[in-house]
Amino acid sequence: MSRESRNTPPSNPGSRDLAVGADRAENAPDPRRWLALTLLVTAFFMVIVDSQIVMLALPAIETELSFAAGGAQWVMSAYLLSFGGLLMFGGRTADLLGGRRMFLFGTALFGIASVLCGLAWTDEVLVTARVIQGVAAAVMTPTAMAVLMHTFAEGPERNKALGIWTGIGAFGATAALLIGGPITDGLGWEWIFYINVPVVAAVLIFGPRLLKETPVRPGRRRFDPAGAVTITAAIALLVYAVSEAPVIGWGSGETIGLLIAAAVLFVIFTVIESRSKAPLVPLRIFRSPTVVGGNILMIIVAMAVYGGALITSLYAQQVLGYSAVKFGLSTAVYALMSIIGANVSARLVVKVGYKPIAIVGMALLSGGLLLLTQIDPNGGYWSDLFFGLVIFGSGIGSTNVAASIASLTGAKPEESGLVSGINNAVFQIGAALGIAIASSVAFAYATGTDAKGLNDGFQAGFLATAVFALVGLVTALLLLLNRNSGQPQAAPAAPAEPAEAPKVHVPAGH
């Protein structure tokens, strides 16, 4: 026997088999992933409901806490501004500190703020608590999506999971309208906040057992405070400006000043990020055509969806005379169609790619909104709303899934929180723009305060939102047309390694 053969350890096939088996077990899908998804979408549902449910309780809150004239709107605005403004920073905390850890922290803070809202003894306390609640939501939402992306490999299962996520978001907005009135009338406005407590408790109990921690960005943890402050202020100013513009006027000095200030802050933010050693938002992210196209499409989708939903609400309540509860029941059809559309699209996207889904979805949004332009002052639910809402709702689910897939595909594991934060932030900006522009158009084209005059304005409002959707259709055709964009994938792929142009694998929803 040679010296080499004497010194070489004998081969052990059993050891190799054990190693291969351990590797497969490590990379196998988590058997608890669907329970984890249930927990994540439950928390997301709570956040969405909380952003809408206050609308129906505002009269009671205003009376009991003696808000100054017009001051009660800040119960909603404080939440939406802190929520929208901090989404990018909230998403980045997942990359630096861990998605599960920050999701649970955000959930705990949301629960504390909810209790403080219910106990509020003055208007200032309530508005402050709503700001804290918005901060918590800004941490919860992108970190939950980061955990979801880490739990489900890029491919068919992630598509399905994100389709469910999208559908739950749509249903949450309608559920708020259904339960807000009865809770306020039956239990008191405080209970629209207290109902969050058992949900928070369930998430905090089961979250540590069911949720996987996300990869943490390697190296020194730097939070880029200058970038965080400037982007948060820029988004908050932009959302505030477009939200107030219908009241104070688009051409007013205040609106123009706020928009200029927001633009200047965005420029400063870009300069800071280009020079920072550890930027909040690495600008290379925007070199990806799918990321840019997906986020532009997301803004347009939000404009069309929220603008259309607002005009539908105004027409139903001010022309058809629906109560808030009846309106919530009547619009459940488009929430249901959104859930169906999202889940069907999540399955089809694996076969055809997300670009065809985006195109079909934007066509459905456009068609539904154009059909709603035919509303009549003497109309009714079945003749004027139902069929338009069915088509509109189908488009909501499809476009959200396609836009999110484009904007999230190929994200590096350690940047999943950031891209989720960007995705949610642009959606909030689009929602504010859609509501502001649609309401401004409806007000400008109203020919009177009777049903006929209001109906003229609402027709114009629906037409404006249809134009948003048509612009989105063009965007889907142009911005998502890069060489590999939207191609279907036969099997799930591993998360992409660092690359300047992320590989497009077909995948994810809002």
Side-chain angles (χ1 to χ4, degrees):
M1 183 180 294
S2 68
R3 181 178 301 174
E4 288 79 2
S5 62
R6 286 197 306 268
N7 294 333
T8 301
S11 173
N12 189 339
S15 299
R16 286 201 305 270
D17 292 343
L18 287 173
V20 170
D23 184 62
R24 287 177 178 172
E26 182 179 350
N27 295 317
D30 187 340
R32 300 172 301 175
R33 62 194 182 281
W34 296 108
L35 290 174
L37 177 65
T38 301
L39 200 68
L40 292 171
V41 297
T42 298
F44 181 53
F45 177 81
M46 176 178 66
V47 168
I48 296 300
V49 167
D50 234 68
S51 67
Q52 300 288 327
I53 195 170
V54 176
M55 188 185 306
L56 299 178
L58 280 182
I61 292 173
E62 186 173 20
T63 299
E64 184 166 333
L65 296 183
S66 302
F67 273 88
Q73 66 160 334
W74 279 102
V75 179
M76 287 194 66
S77 298
Y79 178 87
L80 294 174
L81 287 173
S82 56
F83 179 27
L86 287 167
L87 275 165
M88 287 190 192
F89 182 73
R92 199 51 162 167
T93 63
D95 304 328
L96 297 173
L97 300 173
R100 182 181 69 174
R101 177 186 301 172
M102 294 311 300
F103 170 70
L104 294 175
F105 168 77
T107 302
L109 183 61
F110 194 91
I112 293 170
S114 297
V115 172
L116 185 57
C117 285
L119 294 174
W121 52 95
T122 67
D123 52 349
E124 291 89 351
V125 171
L126 180 57
V127 170
T128 301
R130 286 288 280 173
V131 170
I132 298 172
Q133 213 177 23
V135 172
V139 173
M140 289 174 64
T141 304
T143 53
M145 189 176 285
V147 173
L148 184 153
M149 291 172 66
H150 183 58
T151 303
F152 294 90
E154 191 171 287
E157 281 205 343
R158 185 188 290 180
N159 297 342
K160 182 178 179 180
L162 285 162
I164 294 171
W165 174 278
T166 299
I168 290 297
F171 180 66
T174 299
L177 299 176
L178 293 175
I179 65 176
I183 289 176
T184 302
D185 293 341
L187 299 174
W189 63 264
E190 297 89 348
W191 284 91
I192 66 173
F193 301 111
Y194 290 150
I195 58 173
N196 295 331
V197 174
V199 178
V200 168
V203 171
L204 294 179
I205 291 171
F206 295 105
R209 305 176 188 179
L210 296 177
L211 304 180
K212 296 170 64 176
E213 186 57 276
T214 60
V216 175
R217 186 179 181 184
R220 183 180 175 185
R221 297 175 183 176
R222 298 178 180 176
F223 284 90
D224 185 17
V229 170
T230 50
I231 192 61
T232 298
I235 293 174
L237 282 178
L238 177 60
V239 172
Y240 179 74
V242 298
S243 298
E244 291 295 303
V247 178
I248 64 179
W250 286 94
S252 69
E254 182 178 347
T255 299
I256 293 173
L258 288 170
L259 291 175
I260 291 174
V264 169
L265 285 170
F266 275 116
V267 172
I268 295 173
F269 170 74
T270 303
V271 173
I272 291 172
E273 299 307 278
S274 66
R275 298 179 178 180
S276 175
K277 293 181 179 179
L280 177 70
V281 181
L283 298 182
R284 59 177 167 72
I285 285 177
F286 300 109
R287 296 175 190 170
S288 166
T290 55
V291 170
V292 173
N295 280 297
I296 290 176
L297 188 61
M298 185 61 76
I299 290 177
I300 298 171
V301 167
M303 290 174 68
V305 170
Y306 273 75
L310 172 70
I311 302 301
T312 301
S313 172
L314 294 174
Y315 170 73
Q317 296 186 70
Q318 295 184 12
V319 175
L320 300 184
Y322 284 14
S323 66
V325 174
K326 185 177 180 181
F327 169 69
L329 290 170
S330 68
T331 55
V333 64
Y334 82 75
L336 175 62
M337 293 309 300
S338 177
I339 295 172
I340 294 173
N343 283 280
V344 170
S345 297
R347 295 175 184 274
L348 288 179
V349 76
V350 180
K351 299 178 180 179
V352 301
Y354 58 78
K355 186 171 74 68
I357 299 298
I359 293 170
V360 171
M362 293 310 307
L364 287 170
L365 270 186
S366 304
L369 290 167
L370 286 171
L371 189 58
L372 289 168
T373 63
Q374 304 304 305
I375 55 173
D376 188 271
N378 299 311
Y381 176 68
W382 295 104
S383 60
D384 291 72
L385 287 179
F386 179 76
F387 295 104
L389 291 179
V390 167
I391 300 172
F392 176 62
S394 302
I396 292 174
S398 302
T399 51
N400 270 283
V401 168
S404 293
I405 288 173
S407 58
L408 299 176
T409 292
K412 293 189 289 185
E414 67 271 17
E415 292 182 344
S416 59
L418 173 62
V419 294
S420 300
I422 294 172
N423 183 253
N424 282 279
V426 299
F427 189 82
Q428 294 296 321
I429 292 171
L433 284 169
I435 289 172
I437 295 173
S439 60
S440 294
V441 170
F443 177 77
Y445 282 87
T447 57
T449 56
D450 60 346
K452 171 68 170 60
L454 292 173
N455 191 81
D456 291 339
F458 298 149
Q459 283 183 324
F462 276 128
L463 183 59
T465 58
V467 170
F468 301 156
L470 290 169
V471 171
L473 179 58
V474 175
T475 302
L477 288 166
L478 297 179
L479 289 181
L480 299 182
L481 276 174
N482 67 312
R483 187 171 55 187
N484 296 316
S485 172
Q487 295 304 310
Q489 172 181 302
E497 289 299 317
E500 295 292 22
K503 293 169 67 178
V504 178
H505 290 305
V506 186
H510 198 280

